Amino acid sequence: AKMENHTRISEFTLAGFRSHPGSQLLLSVLFSTMYIVTVVGNVCMILIIRMDSSLHTPMYFFLENLSTLDICYSSVITPRATLALLLGRRSISYNGCASQMFFFSLFGTTEAFFLAVMAYDRFTAICNPLLYQVIMSRRLCVLMVMGSYLAGCINCTIQTSFTFSLSFCGHPEIKHFFCEVAAVIHASCSDTLVNELVMLAVCGPIIVGTALVVFISYAYIIITIVQMPSAESRHKAFSTCSSHMVTICMFFGTVFFMYAQPGAASSPNKSNTISIFYTIVIPMLNPFIYTLRNTEVKRSLKQQLKR
């Protein structure tokens, strides 16, 4: 019966942000503008890091990878959502929906692990400065990045395979502007209890686990900074961490609200606005946060502009 349903259902309808045509046009312009800023800002960040040899350190290696990830993450969602709003084409094929969910889960999960890895990097740099170069070797940095992507692959494979093992009847309507896991589950005509439990069991530990690494790391960082003898040292140490703290608060705050609480899949309507924040707004803001609050990046940017 499930195979018959899968054969019969060839597409879904994305029903997020149904409103007056004028509002949809305004929203499409806003989405496309934010996407362009996201790509340009993150590409500039990557170029700045690559062109300045003084930034070839573990911290900026992770930041460069985060910028690459943000471009991919936003590209999975924003262009299609913009075209849907602009042209009114709200249908998405079965395979297209599955692919979008797969890559959205892959990049979203990987970003959570990236932020945890970057918190550990700052913990090592501030709390163990003499051993920093030994601990954060190039090999370990590469392994951490690869491990983050591996964790993302595991999560997206589980989420996508479980979600698309469900049956979908008639003309399934996804109450979202992209194929987000909870919204697709809600569109199924099957019993979705197992899927909701799987989402909570897999996403919950990932979000809580990475958040714990971040908060424990920063607890030690703050204690170390407070104990520093000079105000200049405290200011310098805090300036290297403040941008990352802003990013993690925005990311984990919205993601925890979406996926790490019971009933996350039962009310997809409220998630549209929140989803814009962590899929479109945060990838756009990250380059500005790390540039404006980082003296080394600002110095390098000024040098590159002069050249």
Side-chain angles (χ1 to χ4, degrees):
K2 288 183 179 181
M3 288 301 295
E4 290 175 0
N5 265 331
H6 287 179
T7 303
R8 185 169 67 252
I9 300 301
S10 60
E11 64 180 26
F12 297 90
T13 300
L14 298 173
F17 296 119
R18 277 184 171 170
S19 58
H20 189 273
S23 301
Q24 292 185 182
L25 177 61
L26 180 62
L27 201 56
S28 67
V29 172
L30 182 62
F31 276 22
S32 59
T33 302
M34 289 193 292
Y35 179 65
I36 292 169
V37 173
T38 298
V39 173
V40 172
N42 282 288
V43 168
C44 287
M45 179 64 74
I46 293 168
L47 292 175
I48 290 169
I49 294 171
R50 290 194 174 184
M51 293 172 67
D52 190 340
S53 58
S54 67
L55 299 181
H56 294 175
T57 63
M59 174 183 172
Y60 293 103
F61 172 75
F62 294 131
L63 186 54
E64 180 184 349
N65 278 277
L66 180 65
S67 292
T68 304
L69 185 65
D70 278 340
I71 294 171
C72 297
Y73 189 35
S74 186
S75 297
V76 172
I77 307 299
T78 315
R80 185 175 186 89
T82 302
L83 289 175
L85 289 166
L86 188 62
L87 304 177
R89 296 177 182 174
R90 295 182 174 275
S91 62
I92 183 170
S93 69
Y94 184 90
N95 292 333
C97 187
S99 299
Q100 189 180 58
M101 180 186 292
F102 181 89
F103 287 107
F104 161 72
S105 299
L106 168 63
F107 296 131
T109 305
T110 304
E111 179 141 352
F113 279 91
F114 265 18
L115 294 175
V117 165
M118 291 171 73
Y120 176 74
D121 172 71
R122 292 299 82 207
F123 160 77
T124 308
I126 293 173
C127 300
N128 297 290
L130 298 179
L131 297 175
Y132 178 67
Q133 295 297 333
V134 177
I135 296 172
M136 299 303 296
S137 63
R138 180 73 178 182
R139 181 174 178 273
L140 179 62
C141 292
V142 172
L143 287 175
M144 283 181 166
V145 170
M146 292 174 62
S148 298
Y149 275 104
L150 177 61
C153 284
I154 293 171
N155 181 49
C156 69
T157 301
I158 292 172
Q159 297 294 345
T160 307
S161 59
F162 267 84
T163 301
F164 285 89
S165 67
L166 293 169
S167 298
F168 299 93
C169 309
H171 302 282
E173 189 175 84
I174 299 171
K175 295 180 180 179
H176 216 300
F177 63 94
F178 69 97
C179 289
E180 188 263 344
V181 180
V184 176
I185 290 174
H186 192 74
S188 172
C189 57
S190 304
D191 181 7
T192 61
L193 177 61
V194 172
N195 291 75
E196 292 184 34
L197 291 175
V198 167
M199 187 176 74
L200 185 63
V202 176
C203 293
I206 289 174
I207 297 167
V208 174
T210 51
L212 278 176
V213 171
V214 169
F215 294 133
I216 291 172
S217 297
Y218 273 98
Y220 279 103
I221 288 170
I222 291 170
I223 292 170
T224 304
I225 291 175
V226 170
Q227 294 176 345
M228 288 180 176
S230 68
E232 184 180 351
S233 299
R234 290 194 297 269
H235 176 74
K236 184 178 179 180
F238 185 76
S239 66
T240 64
C241 301
S242 57
S243 55
H244 188 235
M245 291 174 70
V246 172
T247 300
I248 61 175
C249 287
M250 292 192 302
F251 182 84
F252 283 106
T254 53
V255 171
F256 184 87
F257 183 82
M258 286 289 296
Y259 298 107
Q261 56 174 330
S266 63
S267 53
N269 287 329
K270 69 180 181 181
S271 67
N272 281 271
T273 304
I274 301 168
S275 297
I276 290 177
F277 198 71
Y278 70 83
T279 59
I280 301 175
V281 176
I282 292 177
M284 179 188 69
L285 291 179
N286 277 347
F288 296 99
I289 293 171
Y290 283 103
T291 301
L292 296 176
R293 298 191 63 86
N294 190 304
T295 54
E296 290 180 326
V297 174
K298 286 191 289 186
R299 173 194 54 77
S300 179
L301 179 59
K302 288 178 183 178
Q303 289 179 350
Q304 298 301 329
L305 290 174
K306 287 179 180 178
R307 290 177 186 176

